[in-house]
Amino acid sequence: MDYVLRTNHLTKRYGGKTVVNNLHMNIRQGDIYGFLGQNGAGKTTTLRMIMGLIQPTAGEIELFGESLFGRRARAMERIGAIIEYPGFYLNLSAADNLEIHRRLMGMGNKEYIEEVLSIVGLLDARNQKVKHYSLGMKQRLGIARALLHHPELLVLDEPTNGLDPAGIKEIRQLFLDLARQRGITFIISSHLLSEVEQLATRVGIIHHGTLMEEINYDDLQRKTRHYLEIKVDDDKKAAYLLEQKLGLSDYRIAGPGILHLYGSLDQSASVNLALTSHGVGVKEIRLSGDSLDYFLKVTGGVPLG
Ligand SMILES: Nc1ncnc2c1ncn2[C@@H]1O[C@H](COP(=O)(O)OP(=O)(O)OP(=O)(O)O)[C@@H](O)[C@H]1O
Ligand SMILES: [Mg+2]
C-alpha cells in the first residue's frame, strides 16, 4: 500500500519544551486520517511542520514516498491545506477571492473556480461578499480554495471548529464525497473523537506531543462499541453458557474472569440468570464502552471540551 505521508521521529521543541515528540505517523492513500488531540496537544504544530511552515527540530517527513529534503515544492503542489483560520478579503466576493488566489499561485484554468465552488456548494453564493458569509460558508470557501490546484492530499486543521451540528454534518459529507469521488486523502485534526469517528478510516491520537495510538476504523469501532462487561468466577464456563444456552457468540474474554458481550445490551437479566443457574458466580454486569471513554483512556482521563 502506498503511503501519502509518513513522519519519522518528528520532533519540535520550543526553548526547552518538547511540544511534538518523536512522532511516527503513517497515512495511506485514500485514508481519511482523524488527527485527534486535546487543546495544546501539538496538532497544529505537527500540521505546520508537514506544510513546511515551520522547521522540525528533529526527524523527517516523507510525502508521496519521498523525503521532503530538497523536494518540498514538488510535494506541495500535490497538497492543499487549511491551517488555523483561512483568511479572505472580506469585501470581495467568494469568486474574486478564489481568482486572486489562482493568479497568485500561478494556476491555470479559470473555469475550475466555478467547479470548486460547485463542489463545496457555494456556486449560488459566489458573488456575495465574503463578509456576509456564515462561518460554515467560510470554511467551505477555504476548502474550495484548497482544492483549486487539484490536490491529492488535503491537510485540514480543525475544519469544523465553531460550526453548528448541521454545519458539521454538511462538511463531513463533503469530505466523504471528495474522498470517494476524487480519491483525495485527508488529514483532519480535531479535539473531538465524535467529530471524526463517523468519517475517519484511521485515527491517530496525540497527547502532550506524543502519538499515543494509531488505529484503523474497524479496530476503533470495536474498541468504542458498547458492551456488557460481565465479571464472573469462571470465564470459560461462562463463555460456554453464553453460546450454548443463549446463542450469543459476539463476545470476547477481556481478561481473567471478564467477558465483554457486544450487541446484546438489553440482555443482562437473562445473562445473569443463565450463568447463575448453571453455577457460575456473577460478580458484576455493567454497560460499558463508548468513544469518549476510549479517548479519555488513551489520553489519561482529562475531560475534553
Ligand atoms: N511558536 C511557539 N512558541 C512556543 N510554544 C509554542 C509555539 N507554538 C505552539 N507552542 C506550544 O506548543 C504546544 C502545542 O501547540 P499546538 O498549537 O500545536 O496544539 P494544538 O493541538 O493545535 O492545540 P489546539 O487544539 O488548541 O489548537 C502548546 O503548548 C503551545 O503553547
Ligand atoms: Mg491547533
Side-chain angles (χ1 to χ4, degrees):
M1 179 91 63
D2 289 343
Y3 286 99
V4 167
L5 170 72
R6 301 184 87 173
T7 69
N8 297 310
H9 302 288
L10 187 65
T11 299
K12 183 71 186 179
R13 281 189 280 274
Y14 285 113
K17 193 176 164 209
T18 303
V19 299
V20 172
N21 185 18
N22 203 23
L23 221 64
H24 293 266
M25 286 168 95
N26 299 286
I27 298 168
R28 296 189 190 91
Q29 189 175 0
D31 271 347
I32 298 181
Y33 187 94
F35 188 40
L36 223 65
Q38 298 169 16
N39 295 137
K43 303 179 295 294
T44 301
T45 305
T46 303
L47 300 183
R48 295 182 77 197
M49 286 194 280
I50 290 168
M51 293 309 297
L53 300 171
I54 51 172
Q55 284 297 316
T57 308
E60 59 178 44
I61 298 165
E62 211 180 275
L63 279 164
F64 306 105
E66 288 183 291
S67 168
L68 265 194
F69 295 115
R71 297 209 176 79
R72 176 164 285 286
R74 207 169 71 190
M76 284 303 121
E77 285 172 10
R78 301 168 70 178
I79 305 182
I82 306 179
I83 308 284
E84 284 160 351
Y85 295 98
F88 298 105
Y89 299 102
L90 297 177
N91 275 317
L92 297 182
S93 70
D96 285 347
N97 267 278
L98 294 188
E99 174 59 13
I100 287 173
H101 184 72
R102 186 188 72 84
R103 288 193 198 171
L104 277 177
M105 303 301 282
M107 290 179 280
N109 209 348
K110 200 171 169 173
E111 288 72 60
Y112 196 54
I113 287 180
E114 301 237 319
E115 190 176 336
V116 290
L117 283 167
S118 146
I119 290 170
V120 302
L122 289 176
L123 196 57
D124 291 343
R126 66 185 179 281
N127 293 322
Q128 270 181 47
K129 286 183 181 176
V130 173
K131 69 177 171 197
H132 299 310
Y133 268 28
S134 70
L135 190 59
M137 290 165 87
K138 279 188 198 140
Q139 289 290 18
R140 282 189 274 156
L141 184 58
I143 293 159
R145 188 169 64 187
L147 284 172
L148 259 184
H149 62 294
H150 303 272
E152 294 161 61
L153 169 66
L154 274 184
V155 177
L156 305 174
D157 192 15
E158 310 232 19
T160 50
N161 232 1
L163 299 187
D164 59 20
I168 291 174
K169 214 171 144 195
E170 270 178 37
I171 293 271
R172 200 184 277 151
Q173 190 57 48
L174 173 62
F175 295 158
L176 281 173
D177 292 345
L178 286 169
R180 287 191 191 131
Q181 291 162 16
R182 289 164 199 263
I184 295 176
T185 305
F186 282 86
I187 305 176
I188 300 172
S189 79
S190 175
H191 56 278
L192 292 172
L193 179 54
S194 58
E195 229 170 73
V196 297
E197 70 177 340
Q198 296 165 42
L199 167 86
T201 57
R202 199 166 162 76
V203 165
I205 298 177
I206 184 171
H207 187 55
H208 293 319
T210 299
L211 197 65
M212 308 296 283
E213 181 144 67
E214 252 187 357
I215 185 168
N216 284 325
Y217 176 81
D218 291 344
D219 295 327
L220 182 69
Q221 289 301 306
R222 195 167 49 71
K223 290 198 183 188
T224 58
R225 275 171 82 190
H226 285 87
Y227 54 85
L228 286 181
E229 181 166 273
I230 308 165
K231 291 189 178 160
V232 293
D233 59 6
D234 184 344
D235 49 43
K236 288 191 185 58
K237 188 170 177 189
Y240 173 84
L241 290 168
L242 285 182
E243 292 202 24
Q244 298 303 316
K245 298 295 170 196
L246 297 172
L248 300 174
S249 56
D250 191 5
Y251 68 86
R252 67 186 189 96
I253 297 182
I258 302 173
L259 282 85
H260 288 176
L261 175 65
Y262 298 93
S264 309
L265 306 178
D266 54 353
Q267 297 222 29
S268 53
S270 53
V271 166
N272 192 26
L273 182 63
L275 297 181
T276 48
S277 66
H278 290 87
V280 173
V282 176
K283 297 171 193 160
E284 190 185 348
I285 299 183
R286 66 181 183 97
L287 186 63
S288 188
D290 67 31
S291 54
L292 188 59
D293 275 2
Y294 174 69
F295 191 18
L296 291 178
K297 202 157 76 189
V298 173
T299 58
V302 187
L304 297 158

